[in-house]
Each structure stands twice: as structure tokens, then as C-alpha cells.
Amino acid sequence: MISAIQAVLAVGSGALVGFSLGLIGGGGSILAVPLMVYVVGVTDAHLAIGTSAIAVAANAAINLWHHARGSTVRWSVAIPFAAAGIAGALVGAVFGKLLDGRKLLELFALLMLVIAALMLKTRARAGVGDVSISRGNMPAVLGLGLTTGVLSGFFGIGGGFLIVPALMLATGMPIINAVSSSLVAVTAFGLSTAASYAWSGLVSWQLAGLFIGGGVAGGLLGTRLARLLSGQRGALNVVFASVIILVALYMLMRNLFAS
């Protein structure tokens, strides 16, 4: 059972998660896991990861619908990318549960910093908006889909912060299309990872429901802001990287002072 204060904190945290998913197509679990642990007060890191995976998958699906209405999802790329990643997510989740929970969060934070640096490096690139799957880019799409799936399952995350740069690298699409298309894979990866954790009894369904409820309103606001920022070259990349850096540093500091 959770307290009334925890319930309010869970709804508020869910709103932030939904906003992040709508805005940058990722950051759901980057925010959800530390919010679950440090704000809501879930003491078991693996329970926090499993519950976050359910909440992020559901909120990603809702935000995918918002972006699809704006015709920015590149389905021909997003679907095979997600399909390749599902098997990887299931494998990654098996190994992730074998690692110490605090060590898992530390590795998670370090990986986030690497991704943020890559996004800032490519912030001025315009990209090609009308990309589709082809014989030329299929190996990269499937290979990067599999790789991000493994990492997503290992860290217990929806994977958006990995998927967005991976889609841009594989196809050259602009970040707004990568953000929108990434939500197909975030939903699929999150469900695959959540299924593995749920099988092990590492999901709080009550908390997941509260997170999802809060994420609905947050996601709508995030999607609208993403469309606004996409008209300014590099702006969305900077926002994406800034969110990752701030949360990664916070997680590293918390783990450092807890040790």
C-alpha cells in the first residue's frame, strides 16, 4: 500500500515523464526511475525499474498517437527498428536483473552523459525528413534496433534517449521525426522489459497506474512544445541533451553521497 502523499507525488512525477516523452521522445525512464526512487520513495531499485517500464510504455503509446496526428512518425523505419529491438530487450532484461541495483543506476547515468555529448555534437544537422526503409539503410536500422533493445532491457528503460540518436544515425532523419518515430520502439521495448520484470514480481501496478494518469496531460503539453521547437535548428537537440545531463549528474551525486 502507498500513502496519500506518495500517490500525489506519483501523479506529479508521471506528468513530468509524459511531458518528457512528448517533447523529446525519450527521457521517460531517465526521469521515471530516479523519480520513483528519490521522490516517490521506492527503495528497491529493481521494483522501481520494473514499474517505470510499464508506466513509460503506456505513456509512450499515448504520445505516439499525439505525434502521429502531426504526420511526423516514419512508420516504415520505426516498425522494423522496434521489431529488431524487442528480442534484444528481453535478453538485456535477464542480465540487468543479475546486477546490483545501485551499480545499475550508476552505469545508466554514465551512458546518459555519452549520449548527451553526441546529441550536442550533431545539433546543427538539418536531416532528411522523407526517409523510409531501404536496402541501403536496413542493416543499420536493424543492427541499431537490436543494440538499443539490449541496452534498453539491461537498464530497464524505454530507451528513447538511445533510440532517437540511433534513428538519426541510421537514416539521417531530423530530430522531430526521430522523436516521433522513437515512440514506436519505446512502447515496444518498455512492454518487453516490463513483461520480464512483472514475471519476476518486480512491478507495483498501483504506482504504475498513477504514473500513467499523470502522464496523459504532461504528454500533450510536451508534444505541442516539440512541434514548436522543431522549427528552430538545434533547439530540440539542446533540450534533449540538457535533460539527460541534468538527470545523469543528479543520479551520480545521489549514488556518491549514499555510498
Side-chain angles (χ1 to χ4, degrees):
M1 295 296 294
I2 63 173
S3 67
I5 294 178
Q6 282 182 308
V8 172
L9 292 173
V11 172
S13 297
L16 289 175
V17 169
F19 179 78
S20 177
L21 284 167
L23 176 62
I24 58 176
S29 294
I30 290 176
L31 292 172
V33 173
L35 284 170
M36 195 81 71
V37 173
Y38 304 127
V39 176
V40 180
V42 178
T43 56
D44 185 330
H46 288 109
L47 181 65
I49 289 171
T51 304
S52 296
I54 286 283
V56 168
N59 279 322
I62 295 169
N63 282 294
L64 173 61
W65 180 74
H66 291 319
H67 278 279
R69 292 176 62 194
S71 301
T72 53
V73 180
R74 297 295 173 257
W75 295 100
S76 70
V77 174
I79 291 174
F81 185 99
I86 290 174
L90 291 172
V91 172
V94 172
F95 290 99
K97 288 183 288 186
L98 300 177
L99 194 65
D100 175 72
R102 202 164 78 183
K103 179 64 67 175
L104 197 62
L105 293 177
E106 290 175 358
L107 290 174
F108 186 15
L110 292 173
L111 181 60
M112 287 157 54
L113 292 175
V114 173
I115 296 298
L118 292 174
M119 292 302 293
L120 288 174
K121 185 178 179 180
T122 60
R123 66 185 181 277
R125 190 177 66 183
V128 182
D130 59 348
V131 297
S132 60
I133 197 72
S134 67
R135 293 179 64 181
N137 62 28
M138 184 176 292
V141 170
L142 297 179
L144 287 170
L146 180 64
T147 301
T148 55
V150 170
L151 293 172
S152 173
F154 182 77
F155 290 111
I157 59 175
F161 82 100
L162 294 171
I163 298 164
V164 170
L167 284 170
M168 294 171 69
L169 177 63
T171 67
M173 66 173 64
I175 189 171
I176 185 60
N177 297 117
V179 165
S180 303
S181 303
S182 75
L183 292 168
V184 176
V186 172
T187 302
F189 289 8
L191 288 175
S192 300
T193 302
S196 177
Y197 276 79
W199 182 263
S200 301
L202 295 172
V203 171
S204 169
W205 297 100
Q206 188 177 12
L207 276 179
L210 292 169
F211 259 69
I212 293 167
V216 173
L220 184 59
L221 292 174
T223 301
R224 289 179 176 176
L225 183 57
R227 291 172 184 165
L228 178 64
L229 291 175
S230 65
Q232 305 173 39
R233 180 176 295 188
L236 204 49
N237 295 59
V238 172
V239 171
F240 187 102
S242 299
V243 171
I244 294 175
I245 291 170
L246 289 173
V247 179
L249 292 177
Y250 178 73
M251 290 173 66
L252 287 172
M253 289 179 61
R254 285 296 298 251
N255 276 339
L256 178 64
F257 290 128
S259 60

